[in-house]
Amino acid sequence: MVGDKTTTTTAIGRSTNAAFKRDELYLNLTVPNLFRCPISMDVMKSPVSLCTGVTYDRTSIQAWLSQGHNTCPATMQVLPSTDFTPNLTLRRLIHLYVHHTTSSPPELSPNSSLSSSLRNSLISQSEALELIKNLSSGDTASSATKLIEFVRFSEENRRFVANSAVGVSNLVEILRTSEETQVSDQILLVLEIISPENGVKELLNEKILKSDFDYLSKFFWFFRKGSLSSRIASAKILESIASDADSQRKIAEKQGLLFELYKLSNEETDSSAVEASLSALIAVSTSKTAKKELVRFGIVKTVGEILSGSEAARPVIEKAAEVLASVATCTDGRAAISEDEGCIMGVVKRLMKCSGVATEHGIVVLWSLCCLARDRTAQEAVLKVNGVTKVLLVMQSDCSAGVREMCGDLVKVLRVKNSKSCLASYETRTTHIMPY
């Protein structure tokens, strides 16, 4: 009797263990990369995000930080703060995925896919291809939504759409012919998601900028009438296709388009929108004419407020500093920065406070004003906020050789300016003293 119980218990244990291993193997085969911790490569149980925006499993990142590391494992950027925030949205998605997948896992096979309860929201590769072919003939928001979910689901799906013979070409054509705003918005999101894949940027450049159809007018319309997500996607696509001087010129000279990009950085409080618009402006505004236009729009004041504030995310601060460094290469830009004392103080404030990237851009701005232009107003503004000390700190840090040389020039110029100011002050205070 005891032997029967033991045999039964062992059989149940083996069955349960086999089922568990099957579930685990199934999860490992199908789980999206988004759900895996970059450190352990396991499905995350408690996802948390660092200030760099990268998400890790709580146990893994705590172990990393407890070992004395002060960098983000994925990007190797120095962390200004080791605090992390629970990624509740991703956690819910993982729980939903695991629940539906392991509740009734299908038989493992080369064609294994998600459980039937999720099949309504995901499509196969062949279905995605057919959907792309048919979308242009009949705009349906539900079909476009399924395509977004398909490319978001995995890197393999993104590569499939990017490399398919009709993928990018048909999607761009849908942008031209679609009269339904929601569909256009969703197609923009699909193009933005797959744009990092190999060859997509070049193909988008050819289809959008070298076509007989005026696609840039469409993008202007997206900025004016589209949703926030479509405006962000539009900015990212324009950035991706601004790959050479001719492309940059076409985008910058398209009437109203540069101003719409600027408005996205100036009027939106969403950090993703501000970052996307600033990135696009950096990529597009390479000519002197484009930079002068940005100055006229008020870009110096906009980025000055970002640098002076306390709520902007690190990527936004880096982009703001880069925009300022770009416009500081033209006379109009330097003049506008010099007139905005708050902007200069914001630049000095961010030295050694945000990241090495932001610091180096800030040094370029200060060098352009104080050394290249020899602007006395700018020099005085830098001295007011103890800029020499900040520049010396940068000089002693692990900065590039070019930036270290600029720091040396700044220290010389600012020290001379400071000594003259002190001497003038001393002479003023002692003019009343008469010899015996």
Side-chain angles (χ1 to χ4, degrees):
M1 203 62 176
V2 173
D4 292 341
K5 285 184 179 179
T6 303
T7 304
T8 303
T9 303
T10 303
I12 293 172
R14 286 174 179 172
S15 176
T16 304
N17 189 46
F20 175 79
K21 287 184 176 180
R22 185 183 70 167
D23 292 352
E24 185 178 38
L25 178 59
Y26 176 67
L27 274 173
N28 287 336
L29 285 172
T30 63
V31 65
N33 291 332
L34 177 67
F35 296 168
R36 295 183 185 274
C37 174
I39 297 176
S40 66
M41 296 308 295
D42 294 328
V43 178
M44 290 183 278
K45 297 177 181 177
S46 179
V48 293
S49 299
L50 290 177
C51 58
T52 57
V54 183
T55 299
Y56 302 92
D57 197 21
R58 183 186 295 272
T59 304
S60 299
I61 193 61
Q62 282 179 334
W64 170 268
L65 296 173
S66 66
Q67 294 169 8
H69 298 292
N70 66 339
T71 56
C72 173
T75 65
M76 294 313 293
Q77 294 174 330
V78 176
L79 297 170
S81 170
T82 55
D83 296 337
F84 44 74
T85 306
N87 192 330
L88 300 179
T89 301
L90 184 58
R91 184 177 180 178
R92 283 194 294 269
L93 288 173
I94 292 173
H95 283 187
L96 177 67
Y97 175 83
V98 172
H99 171 73
H100 282 292
T101 305
T102 59
S103 59
S104 55
E107 292 299 319
L108 290 175
S109 69
N111 297 319
S112 291
S113 60
L114 294 178
S115 58
S116 58
S117 59
L118 291 181
R119 286 188 61 82
N120 290 333
S121 60
L122 291 173
I123 55 178
S124 66
Q125 291 185 349
S126 58
E127 288 172 330
L129 201 59
E130 195 64 29
L131 188 150
I132 294 172
K133 291 178 181 178
N134 296 333
L135 256 177
S136 56
S137 59
D139 294 342
T140 58
S142 60
S143 297
T145 300
K146 287 184 178 180
L147 189 58
I148 290 175
E149 291 169 346
F150 177 79
V151 295
R152 277 180 172 165
F153 183 73
S154 69
E155 185 177 349
E156 180 186 354
N157 288 354
R158 291 189 287 275
R159 281 199 301 265
F160 174 78
V161 173
N163 297 332
S164 64
V166 298
V168 176
S169 300
N170 276 32
L171 290 171
V172 174
E173 178 65 17
I174 294 167
L175 283 183
R176 183 179 73 84
T177 58
S178 177
E179 296 181 356
E180 190 175 337
T181 303
Q182 188 178 357
V183 171
S184 298
D185 286 355
Q186 291 168 325
I187 296 304
L188 281 170
L189 288 176
V190 174
L191 289 172
E192 183 261 311
I193 292 169
I194 67 172
S195 63
E197 299 299 327
N198 288 337
V200 174
K201 293 178 182 179
E202 292 78 7
L203 189 54
L204 284 174
N205 180 290
E206 178 185 346
K207 297 295 181 182
I208 293 173
L209 295 178
K210 298 175 183 177
S211 168
D212 293 334
F213 181 76
D214 185 8
Y215 278 102
L216 291 181
S217 290
K218 271 279 189 179
F219 276 88
F220 176 76
W221 187 86
F222 295 144
F223 279 114
R224 295 294 298 272
K225 304 292 185 181
S227 63
L228 178 60
S229 59
S230 69
R231 283 183 283 158
I232 293 173
S234 296
K236 290 182 177 181
I237 292 171
L238 289 177
E239 177 190 0
S240 71
I241 64 177
S243 54
D244 54 66
D246 185 54
S247 301
Q248 293 155 6
R249 179 188 57 79
K250 286 180 179 178
I251 297 170
E253 292 181 358
K254 179 62 183 178
Q255 188 173 4
L257 198 52
L258 197 63
F259 182 67
E260 290 299 325
L261 276 172
Y262 163 72
K263 277 175 60 181
L264 188 60
S265 70
N266 186 46
E267 296 180 356
E268 290 296 336
T269 56
D270 185 282
S271 61
S272 299
V274 177
E275 183 187 354
S277 62
L278 292 177
S279 294
L281 288 174
I282 292 165
V284 169
S285 308
T286 55
S287 68
K288 183 178 178 181
T289 303
K291 292 172 185 176
K292 289 175 69 174
E293 280 292 283
L294 286 182
V295 172
R296 187 173 66 84
F297 296 154
I299 193 67
V300 170
K301 181 181 179 183
T302 298
V303 299
E305 290 174 351
I306 292 172
L307 295 173
S308 301
S310 58
E311 298 180 356
R314 178 188 56 81
V316 174
I317 294 171
E318 290 177 348
K319 296 300 180 184
E322 188 173 355
V323 168
L324 206 60
S326 177
V327 298
T329 59
C330 71
T331 305
D332 289 13
R334 291 192 292 270
I337 299 169
S338 176
E339 293 170 3
D340 192 333
E341 184 175 300
C343 180
I344 296 174
M345 291 181 174
V347 172
V348 176
K349 170 187 173 181
R350 293 297 178 179
L351 297 179
M352 301 295 292
K353 289 288 186 181
C354 176
S355 68
V357 173
T359 294
E360 295 204 356
H361 288 314
I363 291 296
V364 170
V365 173
L366 297 180
W367 183 87
S368 299
L369 294 169
C370 300
C371 300
L372 180 63
R374 298 282 174 169
D375 191 298
R376 294 182 180 180
T377 304
Q379 292 170 359
E380 291 171 359
V382 174
L383 289 170
K384 274 186 183 180
V385 286
N386 201 21
V388 176
T389 302
K390 282 292 196 76
V391 172
L392 284 170
L393 287 172
V394 177
M395 197 173 180
Q396 295 168 16
S397 69
D398 188 26
C399 61
S400 65
V403 168
R404 186 171 288 108
E405 187 176 347
M406 288 183 185
C407 288
D409 293 341
L410 279 166
V411 170
K412 291 175 186 176
V413 169
L414 294 173
R415 277 182 170 171
V416 169
K417 176 70 177 176
N418 195 35
S419 63
K420 286 182 179 179
S421 298
C422 292
L423 182 59
S425 175
Y426 175 78
E427 291 172 346
T428 302
R429 291 196 303 270
T430 57
T431 51
H432 67 284
I433 300 176
M434 299 297 292
Y436 291 112

